Amino acid sequence: MTNSPTMIVMIGLPARGKTYMSKKLTRYLNWIGVPTKVFNLGAYRRDAVKSYKSYDFFRHDNEEAMKIRKQCALVALQDVKAYLNEEGGQIAVFDATNTTRERRDLILSFVKENAYKVFFVESVCDDPEVIAVNILEVKVSSPDYPESHRERVMDDFLKRIECYKVTYQALDPDEYDKDLSFIKVINVGRRFLVNRVQDYIQSKIVYYLMNIHVHSHSLYLCRHGESDHNVEGRIGGDSELSTRGKQFAHALRGFIEEHELSDLKVWTSQLRRTIQTAEELGVPYEQWKILNEIDAGVCEDMTYDMIDNSYPEEFALRDQDKYHYRYPGGESYQDLVQRLEPVIMELERQGNVLVICHQAVMRCLLAYFLDKSADDLPYMKCPLHTVLKLTPVAYGCKVEMFYLNVEAVNTHRDRPLELVPMDHAPTQLRRNSYTPLSSHEQIKRPRLYSAGSRPWQFPEMPEGLQSQESLCEGIDFDSPEETSGCVRF
């Protein structure tokens, strides 16, 4: 956690992926527990100027438009101040071109006045193919272009870029900007230039930005086949697959063959139920210890009734705050998110991957890709014998669900409808892995959705062999094109 709030300031010409990076970075920081929000200056400009006419608005000699644009920036900075000072925010991402030293000096004065830290992220791209693809995939469906006539949009947007080029002043690491903290991302991550990283959170930002790759790929997530412990209602442990679990493993092999996933990498945990599921596939697989299920400590191998009878206070405490609750001698969901961070980094770098994992682990991974809050993460439905296909789109993720038609027990516990009032709840003491009572770990801070995101929920499981409809509810899309294939069950 940062000692003082931080502003991340994006820099770059239009169509350089600034908003893409802003949203991904915000989603990542929220996921690791740092409350972060994007402030997109384009949204402020569209509120101030209800209808966009042409690139003329962005000419540097259009004095009236320049006044409007500066006023929008000032309004956005006041919203940043309110978020960081009054709303519990830790990081504000200022998503705008910020291509002139005059604008950046304005931001630096604002940062100094409010005692914030600042980190600049400049996206530089001179590859015309990358720019053209970005315009067609994202800008054609922008609110600025309701007609969506591709040729006219491309022509106008290229002229808009030329307007910015006239006054663009890139960061100068050798002289003018040598004392600033920043990273230059060159040609979508082919090269990087990093300058004066000053604290832990800035190093995390650099680490993340150097790992995200823009390429076409899909991630497949599923739980292991049904285990003997699942049938008995026990949590944790290292049990083997049940008969139906083995049937699912066989069906999963058929799924891979049917979808012709020849270049697929397969990852498992080091627990027997995921390994036995992968063994049936007949392909190489990697075992990751950090993909092991959440450690239930003294409650391993117990049913929920057994936990309620043996540790009634623990049982009640977990229902009070499932995300932060830590099992005695075990882990919390918050611990699990931290453990899984290297998996997320590697998934961002990889091509097509199938991760065969566990219920709590799958929830944490899904929460990252679908921008779920800490309150909702522990209650995401991740049914057995179901494969989820996640495919990145412009500013979100398209989700497809495939039920492989092998019955299994339902291991999901719904969020309690009635909680003990906190005034009467058991006292929560600070706890490490060995103390007997539960607690909030460190300082509990609210984890927020990225700006504009809505809560995402699974629909009821469809019947039949498989379903290829997209489950897009709650994913933040910026254009109708991204949702054109989405059907809600």
Side-chain angles (χ1 to χ4, degrees), residues 114-379:
N114 290 280
Y116 301 151
K117 296 180 180 180
V118 63
F119 188 77
F120 293 93
V121 178
E122 183 174 24
S123 181
V124 179
C125 183
D126 56 11
D127 186 330
E129 291 186 9
V130 172
I131 296 168
V133 168
N134 193 13
I135 293 173
L136 290 175
E137 285 189 355
V138 180
K139 305 305 179 182
V140 167
S141 54
S142 164
D144 287 341
Y145 302 104
E147 298 176 0
S148 296
H149 189 283
R150 298 171 74 89
E151 287 74 19
R152 286 201 294 268
V153 171
M154 177 68 81
D155 179 67
D156 182 85
F157 205 87
L158 289 173
K159 289 177 180 176
R160 186 194 295 195
I161 294 173
E162 292 302 315
C163 290
Y164 278 97
K165 282 184 178 180
V166 174
T167 57
Y168 182 24
Q169 297 169 293
L171 287 173
D172 177 9
D174 298 319
E175 294 295 335
Y176 192 87
D177 300 305
K178 63 182 180 180
D179 294 327
L180 298 182
S181 300
F182 64 83
I183 179 173
K184 279 180 181 271
V185 181
I186 303 168
N187 285 327
V188 201
R190 294 178 194 167
R191 292 174 56 212
F192 301 91
L193 190 155
V194 181
N195 194 70
R196 294 184 67 85
V197 173
Q198 293 187 328
D199 61 22
Y200 171 75
I201 202 65
Q202 291 182 9
S203 69
K204 298 285 281 187
I205 293 166
V206 168
Y207 177 49
Y208 182 74
L209 291 176
M210 293 181 71
N211 275 279
I212 59 173
H213 287 209
V214 181
H215 57 273
S216 177
H217 68 286
S218 292
L219 166 65
Y220 299 83
L221 293 176
C222 73
R223 293 170 63 186
H224 52 79
E226 180 189 74
S227 69
D228 293 332
H229 267 26
N230 292 149
V231 175
E232 297 166 4
R234 298 176 184 271
I235 65 173
D238 191 18
S239 65
E240 298 188 350
L241 295 183
S242 69
T243 300
R244 293 188 301 194
K246 295 173 183 177
Q247 292 172 0
F248 166 73
H250 181 75
L252 184 59
R253 176 171 184 163
F255 173 84
I256 293 174
E257 293 172 351
E258 178 183 347
H259 289 256
E260 298 180 347
L261 305 177
S262 56
D263 60 341
L264 188 69
K265 292 185 177 180
V266 178
W267 298 351
T268 74
S269 72
Q270 290 188 351
L271 298 176
R272 286 185 294 181
R273 50 195 184 273
T274 63
I275 294 171
Q276 289 176 349
T277 304
E279 281 287 343
E280 182 64 28
L281 304 183
V283 298
Y285 61 90
E286 299 177 36
Q287 296 179 24
W288 291 58
K289 185 176 182 179
I290 55 177
L291 284 173
N292 283 4
E293 180 59 306
I294 190 171
D295 186 350
V298 299
C299 298
E300 286 278 313
D301 301 305
M302 298 175 71
T303 66
Y304 285 115
D305 285 342
M306 292 168 65
I307 298 171
D308 193 12
N309 291 329
S310 300
Y311 306 104
E313 190 176 31
E314 292 293 327
F315 192 82
L317 284 169
R318 191 164 192 261
D319 281 345
Q320 288 290 340
D321 186 356
K322 193 174 179 181
Y323 181 79
H324 293 95
Y325 169 86
R326 176 180 284 159
Y327 283 105
E331 292 179 300
S332 66
Y333 271 95
Q334 186 181 45
D335 297 330
L336 186 56
V337 163
Q338 294 172 359
R339 166 154 61 94
L340 290 170
E341 188 176 354
V343 175
I344 290 295
M345 292 298 178
E346 194 62 25
L347 287 174
E348 287 286 1
R349 299 173 60 88
Q350 292 290 335
N352 298 331
V353 179
L354 166 64
V355 182
I356 303 173
C357 53
H358 307 268
Q359 181 167 250
V361 171
M362 188 168 172
R363 284 170 173 162
C364 292
L365 297 178
L366 279 175
Y368 167 78
F369 288 103
L370 303 181
D371 203 10
K372 293 287 288 185
S373 73
D375 286 340
D376 291 334
L377 181 156
Y379 297 102

Side-chain angles (χ1 to χ4, degrees), residues 455-472:
W456 192 93
Q457 295 181 350
F458 282 103
E460 294 299 319
M461 174 63 63
E463 296 182 358
L465 175 62
Q466 65 185 35
S467 176
Q468 299 187 19
E469 288 94 336
S470 301
L471 309 181
C472 304

Side-chain angles (χ1 to χ4, degrees), residues 399-410:
V399 186
E400 298 168 89
M401 177 183 284
F402 301 87
Y403 173 54
L404 300 195
N405 206 27
V406 178
E407 290 187 3
V409 296
N410 179 12

